[in-house]
């Protein structure tokens, strides 16, 4: 395997450097934890805006602005008044001279001194800059963009997923920050509730599991210590969903009873406190609502799914990954869909995946554990006549391109869309020899699988025009390098009105462990 932040920890330990300790180890003071984080390359914006600024859920005329006051980012509790007034400003220029909206929002200890400002009354389809001030200090300036309305000729967006802090630097987010995109979608595993495990040189034993609100707050604060993540948030508005590691590995819904529900509530609250998430009105802590549809004019309908909060256990005859309410809502969304591209932000793989021809499913934590519901949803896509469906997915830590079929075991079954599963930002995939051996096995075992590449890290950029959907797999050279350059590994296209993808001839010779001719 390649090196990572953890290997850095080890190397520093072997060299006798100080503070080579996992920053969230038990027993560290906030200052010691911060020193340990900085020894791993973390830094923070000036206090109290250490965690930076962000914006999210762009709509025509509206966007949510976020920041969180955390003078000592890795402290369990901030030494701040119970309520701090945070002033915000939105302007048409980066120097914040042409102000179009301003106001003040209370940052309360109850919500970790976070603020979420739903700014209204902005113009559709334009770029704005914003900043916060509090306690005599001013934050960095962020840039955001509202959704357009009406006729739209192009939209570009990036999707990121799976960013284990201990597995490497966020050069991928540095790349996203520099992309010319309208927005970013995060597909989950924004944090990992576990850190590095074991080790000779490193005192990285974390003590008890991450359970409390303070634990999850510190975890989010550590992750935002990567400057590239803060940069990507400050550069573009984000849409967000989550997967399992925001709470606990492979969890299902409320499974685990009261102690788990308490833990999940802590995790969800810390997530909300640290994300530019728009609280939907009826949505409220401890159960924020994530699923929603958003339009980018007449060109794109984006559907954000929550595949964790409402799922049953896997492998049940009547199991559900969406939950009854979200399933009904998704079917209604399909029924009412406008004539445009339809993109589903889907945290975990929708396509069937067998390990080899005739083999069993590789992972039933993904949609493969919910067979009846998958067939019901994809059958509904087909029967309703929905066209131009592209599903963008995270979780796997490797890139896949799949055809979506109502019945994956029947190659004559209707083709209803394309799924692009993106590389991870940092989280470790399988070893190169595993990928080499298993790429062709998975390819032969899954007639709908067109492409597999598991040796790289990065993100996807999608470009939509009325005629074509293009996915560019953007990969970094080395996750050990925070400044690692970004290149395009390959591109796939989907033509409007024609189901199925094809690889760009210019990059068909790029490295991959499986590609169907
Ligand atoms: Fe992951
Ligand atoms: Ca996951």
């Amino acid at each position: 395997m390649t090196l990572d932040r953890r290997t850095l920890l080890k190397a520093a330990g072997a060299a006798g450097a100080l503070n080579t300790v996992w920053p969230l180890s038990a027993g560290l003071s906030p200052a010691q934890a911060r020193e340990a984080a900085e020894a791993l390359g973390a830094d923070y914006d000036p206090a109290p805006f250490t965690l930076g600024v962000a914006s999210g859920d762009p709509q025509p005329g509206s966007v949510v602005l976020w920041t969180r006051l955390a003078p000592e980012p890795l402290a369990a509790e901030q030494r701040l008044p119970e309520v701090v007034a945070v002033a915000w400003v939105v302007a048409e220029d980066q120097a914040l001279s042409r102000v179009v909206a301003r106001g003040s929002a209370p940052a309360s200890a109850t919500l970790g001194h976070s603020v979420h400002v739903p700014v209204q009354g902005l113009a559709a389809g334009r770029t704005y800059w914003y900043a916060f001030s509090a306690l005599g200090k001013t934050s960095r300036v962020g840039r955001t963009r509202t959704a357009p309305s009406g006729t739209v000729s192009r939209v570009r967006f990036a999707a990121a997923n799976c960013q284990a802090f201990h597995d490497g630097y966020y050069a991928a987010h540095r790349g996203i920050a520099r992309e010319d995109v309208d927005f970013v979608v995060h597909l989950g595993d924004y944090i990992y509730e576990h850190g590095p495990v074991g080790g000779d040189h490193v005192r990285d034993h974390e003590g008890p599991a991450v359970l409390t609100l303070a634990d999850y707050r510190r975890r989010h604060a550590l992750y935002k210590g990567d400057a590239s993540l803060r940069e990507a948030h400050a550069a573009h508005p984000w849409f967000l969903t989550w997967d399992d590691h925001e709470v606990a590995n492979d969890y299902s819904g409320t499974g685990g009873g009261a102690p788990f529900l308490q833990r999940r509530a802590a995790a969800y609250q810390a997530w909300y406190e640290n994300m530019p998430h728009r609280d939907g009105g009826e949505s409220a802590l401890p159960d924020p609502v994530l699923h929603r549809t958003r339009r980018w004019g007449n060109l794109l309908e984006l559907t954000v799914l929550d595949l964790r909060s409402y799922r049953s256990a896997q492998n049940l005859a009547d199991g559900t990954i969406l939950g009854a309410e979200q399933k009904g809502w998704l079917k209604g969304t399909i029924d009412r869909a406008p004539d445009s591209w339809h993109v589903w932000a889907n945290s975990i793989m929708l396509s069937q995946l067998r390990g080899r021809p005739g083999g069993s499913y590789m992972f039933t934590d993904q949609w493969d554990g919910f067979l009846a519901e998958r067939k019901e949803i994809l059958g509904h896509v087909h029967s309703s006549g929905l066209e131009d469906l592209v599903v963008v997915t995270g979780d796997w830590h490797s890139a896949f391109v799949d055809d979506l079929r109502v019945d994956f075991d029947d190659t004559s079954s209707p083709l209803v869309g394309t799924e692009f599963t993106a590389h991870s930002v940092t989280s470790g995939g399988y070893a190169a020899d595993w990928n080499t051996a298993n790429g062709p096995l998975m390819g032969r075992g899954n007639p709908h699988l067109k492409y597999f590449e598991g040796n790289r890290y990065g993100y996807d950029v999608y470009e939509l025009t009325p005629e074509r959907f293009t996915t560019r797999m953007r990969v970094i050279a080395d996750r050990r390098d925070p400044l690692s350059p970004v290149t395009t590994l390959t591109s796939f296209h989907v033509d409007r009105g024609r189901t199925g993808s094809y690889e760009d001839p210019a990059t068909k010779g790029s490295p991959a462990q499986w590609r169907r001719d």
Side-chain angles (χ1 to χ4, degrees), residues 162 188-189 192 243-246 249-250 308 347-348 365 394-397:
C162 292
D189 287 358
Y192 282 74
D243 194 31
D244 53 336
H245 289 291
E246 279 83 352
N249 186 40
D250 285 2
R308 283 290 161 191
S347 55
I348 195 158
D365 182 60
D395 178 63
W396 225 96
H397 308 179

Side-chain angles (χ1 to χ4, degrees), residues 2 18 22 33 45 72 95 108 113 153 163 169 311 344 371 375 377 396 484 490 494 507:
T2 50
L18 297 174
W22 175 238
D45 282 15
E72 197 56 82
S108 76
H113 292 97
S153 58
Q163 51 194 43
Y169 292 110
R311 65 160 70 187
W344 294 357
L371 297 176
K375 198 176 262 184
I377 291 297
W396 225 96
S484 186
T490 190
V494 179
T507 48

Side-chain angles (χ1 to χ4, degrees), residues 299-336:
L299 187 57
L300 165 67
E301 181 184 56
L302 175 72
T303 297
V304 179
L305 299 177
D306 177 351
L307 302 178
R308 283 290 161 191
S309 300
Y310 316 111
R311 65 160 70 187
S312 66
Q314 48 191 272
N315 301 323
L316 303 174
D318 59 348
T320 178
I321 190 169
L322 292 162
E325 197 182 316
Q326 186 179 203
K327 183 168 76 179
W329 166 85
L330 179 59
K331 285 173 145 183
T333 298
I334 293 166
D335 292 335
R336 293 187 301 272

Side-chain angles (χ1 to χ4, degrees), residues 260-303:
F260 178 74
L261 271 184
Q262 201 165 30
R263 181 184 187 185
R264 194 183 84 160
Y268 281 5
Q269 178 169 339
W271 180 89
Y272 176 72
E273 289 174 356
N274 285 281
M275 295 296 152
H277 178 68
R278 190 193 297 262
D279 193 357
E282 63 279 28
S283 130
L285 290 170
D287 297 312
V289 172
L290 271 61
H291 59 285
R292 57 196 62 199
T293 55
R294 294 291 183 254
R295 299 222 177 137
W296 217 260
N298 66 344
L299 187 57
L300 165 67
E301 181 184 56
L302 175 72
T303 297

Side-chain angles (χ1 to χ4, degrees), residues 230-263:
R230 297 198 306 283
E231 207 185 330
H233 273 299
H236 312 292
W238 288 34
F239 291 102
L240 301 150
T241 188
W242 51 31
D243 194 31
D244 53 336
H245 289 291
E246 279 83 352
V247 181
N249 186 40
D250 285 2
Y251 80 94
S252 288
T254 58
F260 178 74
L261 271 184
Q262 201 165 30
R263 181 184 187 185

